[in-house]
Amino acid sequence: MLLGVSGGIAAYKAAELTRRLRAEGVEVRVVMTRAAQAFVGPLTFQALSGNPVRLDILDPTAEAGMDHIELARWADLVLVAPASADVMARLAAGMADDLLTTLALASQAPLALAPAMNQRMWQHPATQANARLLTDRGVRLLGPAAGAQACGETGPGRMLEPGEIVAALLEPRPASPLAGRRILVTAGPTREALDPVRYLGNRSSGRMGYALAQALVTRGAQVVLVSGPTALAVPLGLERIQVESALEMRAAVMARIADQDIFVAAAAVADYRVADPAPHKIKKGQPELTLRLVRNPDILAEVAARPDPPFTVGFAAETERVEEEARAKLQAKSLDMIAANQVGGATGGFEREDNALTVIRRDGRLNQLPLMPKAHLAEALTDLIAETYATYLATQGA
Ligand code: CTP
């Protein structure tokens, strides 16, 4: 295994990681970035790995032994621990500006990263986007863990403990029950036209649905994302269908639903639409204007009521009695799972980066996913969906 050590206080843990890997019988060759050398000396890694440590791409003595291309070919796995924000950015961009990034680019071996950085750096959209890009390419992220940090702050960004990294690497990863499944996800708000220029809308950003669609893609699912208008980029590796109104969203969903395994309704669909939108722009002649609204079809309920429904996951946005309302909605719409969040309070919901969810399954089991960035929450919810879906398949005898 090629172990890349990048700069950060967690570099000292990489020494213990090297020792543990060796104890498991893994042959380790270490490459250090320049910044890593400010934290731990190469001799430490040389002694622990029993192999010369590589520091520089232009090292004539090392190149006489095993040149960097040979080293890239030799590796059966490239692990970067700690992986700093900087190294993640350079790996995401495909740069080859030092030995470690050059090796990562030249190697066909799987790449795993154990991120370690200040929690704000980890949560920064740039780092989150790099993490997503890397995982989409099949890079495995181990951690980071949340907790007290060397800088005195508390949050996600701490490198996993060496023992946890070794355990994660050596443990065979079962294929996700979502791999190869067809999953349709709705996301974002809908716009209900009043006239050709105006609409009724809502504050949904679409972030939760997009993050979820992305997390499902990384589990190997074939994802179609039916999205209302959002400012978000199309996640990699899926098909996006853009719609405006609830009726358009319904049509897009129904056209595809027959061959879907799973339906995830994360969209904030307008419950009502304007009964008769004006064909021309409404002029401000009258002192008062009354809009007549009619009910929109409930897409989720309609999907769940099909004779041969897919596994259905709904969302619920509640201002009070979250659990009770969610249980009632799960029953009423006959869903397999529901993820409810409290809106209107200080903690989460629309237009925010963070959210918390109460997840309830058809069998009544409940999980609380605490307040965290939506990308992390999407990962946690995806794991719950995978687990519940596996049980559902077992009961269906599939
Ligand atoms: N939903 C849907 N089609 C609609 C309305 C809602 O597919 N026309 C889906 C949403 O995507 C979400 C779930 O239904 O997954 C719950 O929506 P919510 O608005 O919270 O609940 P409602 O059923 O509309 O009930 P109420 O507004 O009375 O709370």
Side-chain angles (χ1 to χ4, degrees):
M1 173 196 299
L2 192 68
L3 173 62
V5 182
S6 69
I9 187 66
Y12 80 91
K13 288 191 193 172
E16 170 65 4
L17 177 61
T18 308
R19 193 191 66 74
R20 283 181 180 249
L21 287 166
R22 292 269 296 174
E24 293 288 344
V26 179
E27 190 182 352
V28 183
R29 288 176 182 267
V30 177
V31 173
M32 299 177 77
T33 64
R34 187 184 295 266
Q37 295 164 51
F39 292 91
V40 193
L43 276 179
T44 305
F45 288 107
Q46 185 167 319
L48 290 169
S49 69
N51 279 315
V53 173
R54 298 289 302 269
L55 306 172
D56 198 348
I57 190 155
L58 303 170
D59 177 349
T61 54
E63 293 289 304
M66 194 189 254
D67 74 15
H68 67 273
I69 297 297
E70 266 178 276
L71 195 55
R73 277 201 206 112
W74 169 84
D76 56 348
L77 172 72
V78 180
L79 167 67
V80 184
S84 62
D86 174 67
V87 112
M88 285 180 63
R90 290 188 289 126
L91 289 170
M95 288 171 74
D97 56 347
D98 65 3
L99 181 59
L100 176 55
T101 50
T102 303
L103 288 169
L105 208 55
S107 178
Q108 292 189 336
L111 176 61
L113 308 178
M117 66 197 74
N118 165 273
Q119 53 106 6
R120 286 177 203 277
M121 292 172 77
W122 170 253
Q123 294 188 60
H124 193 283
T127 308
Q128 289 295 308
N130 288 333
R132 270 199 298 278
L133 194 60
L134 288 163
T135 48
D136 284 346
R137 282 192 211 135
V139 175
R140 187 165 170 204
L141 286 192
L142 307 169
Q149 298 201 299
C151 54
E153 294 180 13
T154 304
R158 223 174 64 178
M159 190 170 95
L160 292 188
E161 294 303 325
E164 294 173 312
I165 295 175
V166 173
L169 289 175
L170 299 181
E171 194 180 279
R173 277 224 291 178
S176 170
L178 303 176
R181 301 294 169 185
R182 281 160 302 197
I183 307 183
L184 202 155
V185 179
T186 64
T190 62
R191 287 180 179 174
E192 308 302 324
L194 269 66
D195 69 16
V197 291
R198 303 181 181 95
Y199 60 83
L200 294 175
N202 64 64
R203 293 183 188 280
S204 165
S205 65
R207 273 195 208 107
M208 191 62 216
Y210 274 57
L212 202 53
Q214 184 76 85
L216 293 167
V217 168
T218 65
R219 305 303 192 284
Q222 287 175 44
V223 179
V224 177
L225 178 63
V226 176
S227 171
T230 75
L232 302 171
V234 194
L236 288 172
L238 57 74
E239 182 192 352
R240 180 174 74 169
I241 300 170
Q242 287 179 289
V243 297
E244 288 241 336
S245 65
L247 289 182
E248 281 174 26
M249 184 171 277
R250 177 188 172 276
V253 168
M254 294 310 161
R256 303 285 194 125
I257 200 66
D259 59 0
Q260 298 295 321
D261 299 305
I262 300 176
F263 178 60
V264 181
V269 187
D271 288 327
Y272 294 89
R273 67 178 180 276
V274 178
D276 28 28
H280 305 293
K281 189 178 166 215
I282 301 168
K283 292 290 184 188
K284 56 176 172 301
Q286 320 295 333
E288 269 185 35
L289 185 66
T290 304
L291 290 176
R292 198 167 63 84
L293 303 178
V294 291
R295 276 288 288 274
N296 270 328
D298 188 319
I299 304 167
L300 175 60
E302 197 173 329
V303 168
R306 288 171 63 85
D308 187 13
F311 179 87
T312 50
V313 184
F315 276 75
E318 307 293 348
T319 52
E320 54 190 351
R321 294 177 298 129
V322 176
E323 186 186 330
E324 211 180 314
E325 294 290 339
R327 283 192 193 280
K329 220 164 265 182
L330 178 119
Q331 284 258 311
K333 297 195 190 187
S334 185
L335 308 178
D336 293 292
M337 280 177 89
I338 194 158
N341 66 327
Q342 178 131 23
V343 289
T347 48
F350 288 175
E351 285 186 320
R352 298 180 63 105
E353 293 286 347
D354 284 2
N355 202 0
L357 289 174
T358 302
V359 184
I360 304 170
R361 315 183 198 194
R362 192 190 274 266
D363 67 5
R365 274 191 294 162
L366 180 147
N367 291 82
Q368 295 284 4
L369 300 177
L371 191 67
M372 58 182 122
K374 284 181 179 172
H376 295 205
L377 197 61
E379 289 291 327
L381 180 57
T382 300
D383 286 340
L384 283 180
I385 294 175
E387 188 193 318
T388 316
Y389 182 63
T391 316
Y392 160 91
L393 286 182
T395 59
Q396 301 267 308

